[in-house]
Amino acid sequence: MRLLILFLCCFSLSPAQTTLDYTLYHYEDTTATLSINEVQKASFEPVAKGVQNRGISTTPSWFKLEFHPDTQQLQQEWWLTIDYPPLDYIDLYLFENDRLIHEVHTGELRSFESREVHDPFFINQLPFASSKEHTLYIRVQTQGALQVPISVLDTKSLIKAQHLPLLIAGVYYGLFIIILLYNGVIYLYTRDTNYLYYLVFVNGFVFWQLSLDGIGVAYLWGNYPWIVEHASIFGTSFVAFSALLFSRNFLHTKEHLPNLDIVLKYLMYFSLLLTLSAFIAPYHYVVKIDGLLSIIVPIFLFITGVSVLKQGYKPALFYTIGWFVFLVGCILFALNKFNLIGGFYLMNHAQQIGSAVEMLMLSWALGERIKSIQDEYLQKTKDLNNTLKTRLEKALFKERHKDKIMMQQSRFAALGEMIEQIAHQWRQPLNNLALIHQDLYFKFQLQRFDPQAYEQAHERINENLQYMSKTIDDFRSFYKDRSEAETYLLKDLIHSALSLSESMLKYAKVEVKVISEEDCYVHNIKNELLQVLMNVIKNAHDALVQERQEKRKITISIFTHERKVRVSIEDNAGGVAEDIIDKIFNPYFTTKTDTHGTGIGLYMSKSIMQEHLHGDIWVENTQDGALFTLEVPQADYTAQMDQDS
């Protein structure tokens, strides 16, 4: 629930951005054959700036952006962003007057490695020349929804704009990981097919969502064009199939609603057929059917949930609530793709919020089903006891005879005790079944498992959950926007940074040593300096891991120098190559060999130190590795305390 609340709060964050003004025009290339030279002579129509939504279309669209930057703006770095990953082909042509000065070819179906910035969205620099007349032509072609959210931002605004999508994606997929782990563990111990079908549904939905928001292309299958092209349509129809499979089994529609179950069954078969045809059928046909399917299936499942609920099946309540929220999100999402309603960002977020609420409600519904089963079996046990007791009394009454009564009473008393023992033995597993989704500790009482090992598993899971909760709280505090300066002990901030990095450093077996000869106080924005420290520590960690050092060490020293406080962070990773040491603070420059290096961490740290903390940061090589030095003004703690008192 905390993750969901944080997820909802993320949408209220909208960092201030610096944009470059431009005039926007549109032209539709109905022949799909025009070159850039021919398009320059075409008659463009002026359109409003913002998200350009052309619905489901395979026809290429050309957009013309006319810029008139002043002298100061020409000295800045400007970036074009298109925040919609499922666009097959994007071609950029930047002209200074009539001279082509920059050309870029990107898109989802082109190699991810060829992108100028490795990001799920399309980010490209606009290298303006000295002239104040520039024109940018953008050609966009795709087989699905042609939506083009265009923004032109300076470097600082671009960096800020990247934080929110990453935060939302982290919370969103973190929620699904917890749901998968939680219900996966329950399935392993119950072997309930409802949990299995639910896990299939959730996994299919995660795959579909990854194909829509570009994260799958960025981190999983970006180098496999065939998967890139078919992932979204495959995911849509597979989600429909798995949702119908789970719902029919969970709601027992064959028993409660046999006529409607026939409709759901054929709809499920159609979804499966569409899933298989996604690999061979033309994309633009399948995507339209998928769009209709994403509306029809939630409507039918919502109606089914309401109908089963009316018949007294209580678990259907949470199921119906979840599908209602998801239905609203899907309908808005699909209508937006067909260009029937506007609100690009809002509609995408509505679908994400709806899916998050739906998955939580379905998990809740599964738990309610377990409770319903427990209540049913307990009632049957009680009825059985009453029936046996009644029969016993009748037997005693009929067989009452002076010499036989005592023997009969003795036998029936023994029988009654046996029945009580049987009832007791039944009641305990039933209670375990009802509480299994709330407390894994009780599962060790199931006879098929080793109690000691299961107790240890429970303790480990509980410890990890507490640790996860504490980590979330720590990082929530870390991401709070605190803009007021305060006086604090620098050594305490160092320990806070190490605490946030503890898991990362411990896993990599990095030994950290903190040296502080005196108590040094500083007066600045605490979270700003904490962010810089975290960046530098992470940079040192990555260098140690990349160089595969056996004895990995980081030494942090705090000392004063001419009324300033310095923090030196030294590693033993071998240092920075001399030919690039002057470039590591440049934006988007990285030496990391994997795809996770963005190249903005040290650049951002430099900006924060100089512009926000009135300090500086630099790097030099030592005998064993690299030495980063952070310098900030020292605070007069005694004077500050006297002023506060």
Side-chain angles (χ1 to χ4, degrees):
M1 186 58 68
R2 290 182 179 179
L3 281 174
L4 180 60
I5 293 173
L6 178 59
F7 180 64
L8 295 173
C9 290
C10 287
F11 296 113
S12 64
L13 303 175
S14 55
Q17 298 178 347
T18 301
T19 61
L20 182 62
D21 191 29
Y22 58 88
T23 306
L24 182 62
Y25 302 89
H26 172 259
Y27 175 75
E28 185 174 1
D29 180 9
T30 56
T31 65
T33 60
L34 296 181
S35 65
I36 179 61
N37 294 329
E38 294 171 324
V39 166
Q40 284 183 287
K41 302 174 184 178
S43 298
F44 281 78
E45 297 181 357
V47 293
K49 291 186 290 186
V51 180
Q52 304 302 310
N53 191 341
R54 300 293 160 178
I56 305 295
S57 173
T58 59
T59 304
S61 280
W62 286 85
F63 299 96
K64 180 170 70 172
L65 286 70
E66 293 183 349
F67 300 98
H68 303 281
D70 55 30
T71 303
Q72 182 179 359
Q73 290 173 334
L74 287 173
Q75 296 175 356
Q76 297 177 258
E77 289 184 331
W78 295 99
W79 301 83
L80 173 75
T81 67
I82 300 178
D83 299 338
Y84 187 60
L87 295 175
D88 296 344
Y89 302 101
I90 301 176
D91 302 298
L92 307 178
Y93 304 90
L94 180 62
F95 286 84
E96 179 192 17
N97 295 322
D98 293 327
R99 182 174 64 92
L100 179 64
I101 61 174
H102 189 59
E103 181 177 348
V104 174
H105 302 281
T106 184
E108 188 180 44
L109 296 186
R110 289 177 173 140
S111 172
F112 183 80
E113 296 298 325
S114 65
R115 296 190 186 185
E116 186 174 357
V117 178
H118 287 181
D119 191 87
F121 298 139
F122 302 104
I123 303 175
N124 292 277
Q125 189 174 10
L126 299 178
F128 291 128
S130 58
S131 172
K132 295 184 180 180
E133 299 292 334
H134 290 83
T135 304
L136 175 66
Y137 291 90
I138 306 175
R139 182 185 186 272
V140 182
Q141 184 176 13
T142 189
Q143 299 184 71
L146 202 154
Q147 296 179 303
V148 190
I150 300 173
S151 299
V152 180
L153 308 173
D154 67 351
T155 301
K156 186 182 295 185
S157 298
L158 175 65
I159 295 173
K160 290 181 180 179
Q162 299 309 300
H163 291 172
L164 183 57
L166 291 175
L167 178 59
I168 293 175
V171 174
Y172 184 71
Y173 287 106
L175 179 65
F176 278 95
I177 290 173
I178 292 174
I179 289 175
L180 287 170
L181 291 176
Y182 179 75
N183 290 280
V185 171
I186 293 178
Y187 170 71
L188 289 177
Y189 293 111
T190 63
R191 301 298 178 178
D192 188 342
T193 54
N194 283 287
Y195 283 98
L196 176 61
Y197 293 154
Y198 178 64
L199 290 172
V200 173
F201 171 55
V202 175
N203 276 286
F205 187 87
V206 170
F207 176 84
W208 176 67
Q209 189 64 42
L210 287 171
S211 69
L212 289 181
D213 57 22
I215 295 180
V217 175
Y219 301 108
L220 298 176
W221 54 75
N223 295 322
Y224 303 95
W226 188 85
I227 299 179
V228 173
E229 183 176 4
H230 296 85
S232 61
I233 56 175
F234 171 84
T236 303
S237 50
F238 182 78
V239 167
F241 164 74
S242 57
L244 289 162
L245 178 66
F246 164 73
S247 300
R248 291 182 64 224
N249 191 73
F250 175 77
L251 297 175
H252 303 289
T253 55
K254 192 173 183 179
E255 302 171 9
H256 295 137
L257 303 166
N259 293 330
L260 185 56
D261 179 71
I262 295 175
V263 177
L264 296 179
K265 181 172 65 175
Y266 283 108
L267 195 57
M268 183 181 74
Y269 292 153
F270 176 77
S271 300
L272 179 60
L273 179 63
L274 192 63
T275 301
L276 299 176
S277 65
F279 298 106
I280 54 177
Y283 180 96
H284 60 279
Y285 291 132
V286 179
V287 72
K288 293 179 180 178
I289 300 175
D290 277 343
L292 295 175
L293 199 65
S294 64
I295 297 177
I296 294 173
V297 170
I299 290 176
F300 269 95
L301 294 181
F302 173 69
I303 294 173
T304 303
V306 172
S307 302
V308 174
L309 180 62
K310 289 181 178 179
Q311 296 188 9
Y313 187 55
K314 293 182 179 179
L317 173 62
F318 300 104
Y319 173 93
T320 305
I321 294 174
W323 275 110
F324 174 75
V325 177
F326 184 66
L327 171 63
V328 174
C330 280
I331 291 177
L332 294 176
F333 183 76
L335 292 177
N336 179 254
K337 297 307 173 190
F338 282 101
N339 197 23
L340 298 177
I341 60 174
F344 172 79
Y345 293 104
L346 179 60
M347 292 305 103
N348 278 308
H349 293 162
Q351 186 268 339
Q352 288 182 317
I353 295 173
S355 63
V357 173
E358 181 218 10
M359 295 304 173
L360 290 174
M361 289 295 103
L362 292 184
S363 293
W364 201 337
L366 285 169
E368 186 65 23
R369 174 181 172 274
I370 295 295
K371 184 178 183 302
S372 176
I373 293 175
Q374 180 231 10
D375 293 340
E376 179 183 349
Y377 275 92
L378 285 177
Q379 185 61 42
K380 287 183 179 180
T381 304
K382 183 179 179 180
D383 294 341
L384 178 60
N385 285 337
N386 293 333
T387 301
L388 291 174
K389 183 179 180 181
T390 301
R391 291 179 179 180
L392 178 59
E393 291 175 350
K394 289 181 178 180
L396 285 172
F397 179 77
K398 291 180 180 180
E399 299 295 330
R400 197 173 301 262
H401 221 295
K402 186 173 182 180
D403 291 336
K404 293 183 179 180
I405 285 180
M406 293 182 63
M407 183 174 292
Q408 291 291 345
Q409 286 178 337
S410 176
R411 289 178 180 176
F412 281 110
L415 179 61
E417 291 178 2
M418 184 181 298
I419 292 172
E420 289 296 327
Q421 289 296 326
I422 293 174
H424 177 75
Q425 293 297 327
W426 283 11
R427 186 178 295 109
Q428 191 62 39
L430 291 174
N431 287 334
N432 289 340
L433 188 62
L435 299 174
I436 195 168
H437 72 291
Q438 297 176 349
D439 195 339
L440 295 179
Y441 176 79
F442 291 98
K443 292 190 179 68
F444 83 94
Q445 298 184 35
L446 291 175
Q447 295 179 358
R448 68 167 83 173
F449 301 106
D450 175 48
Q452 182 178 0
Y454 201 77
E455 168 70 17
Q456 294 174 354
H458 162 72
E459 293 177 357
R460 290 196 301 270
I461 292 174
N462 189 46
E463 290 173 0
N464 278 278
L465 289 174
Q466 292 178 359
Y467 178 78
M468 290 168 62
S469 178
K470 181 179 181 302
T471 303
I472 292 172
D473 290 340
D474 288 343
F475 276 94
R476 286 180 65 188
S477 175
F478 170 65
Y479 279 108
K480 285 182 180 177
D481 184 14
R482 297 176 178 173
S483 58
E484 295 183 0
E486 56 184 299
T487 300
Y488 58 90
L489 185 61
L490 186 56
K491 182 167 60 176
D492 292 342
L493 189 66
I494 299 293
H495 290 302
S496 296
L498 293 175
S499 176
L500 290 170
S501 309
E502 179 182 3
S503 176
M504 170 187 68
L505 297 172
K506 185 177 181 181
Y507 180 79
K509 298 180 180 179
V510 178
E511 178 186 347
V512 181
K513 183 179 181 181
V514 179
I515 302 174
S516 178
E517 299 178 354
E518 56 180 314
D519 291 341
C520 299
Y521 288 89
V522 294
H523 184 78
N524 52 44
I525 303 174
K526 192 173 184 179
N527 269 15
E528 298 276 4
L529 185 54
L530 177 60
Q531 183 175 353
V532 176
L533 289 168
M534 293 284 292
N535 282 340
V536 178
I537 292 173
K538 178 66 168 62
N539 190 76
H541 161 273
D542 293 346
L544 290 167
V545 172
Q546 182 171 318
E547 296 299 326
R548 299 184 179 180
Q549 291 289 337
E550 293 185 1
K551 295 183 179 180
R552 300 167 179 173
K553 297 181 180 180
I554 295 178
T555 303
I556 302 177
S557 302
I558 307 171
F559 55 94
T560 58
H561 177 76
E562 296 180 355
R563 297 297 301 164
K564 293 186 178 181
V565 179
R566 289 183 176 179
V567 180
S568 65
I569 302 175
E570 182 180 4
D571 60 60
N572 63 336
V576 184
E578 293 296 334
D579 58 335
I580 65 170
I581 195 169
D582 295 331
K583 303 176 183 178
I584 65 172
F585 291 106
N586 293 343
Y588 300 104
F589 180 83
T590 179
T591 61
K592 297 176 182 178
T593 57
D594 57 21
T595 60
H596 298 288
T598 62
I600 65 172
L602 291 177
Y603 168 76
M604 187 168 56
S605 299
K606 185 85 169 181
S607 299
I608 291 173
M609 291 297 297
Q610 293 179 343
E611 299 177 16
H612 296 267
L613 302 177
H614 307 291
D616 202 358
I617 179 175
W618 63 87
V619 63
E620 55 190 300
N621 286 325
T622 62
Q623 182 177 357
D624 298 324
L627 173 65
F628 283 83
T629 303
L630 286 66
E631 184 180 76
V632 293
Q634 184 178 10
D636 188 345
Y637 181 71
T638 303
Q640 183 69 26
M641 291 297 292
D642 293 341
Q643 181 179 351
D644 294 340
S645 61

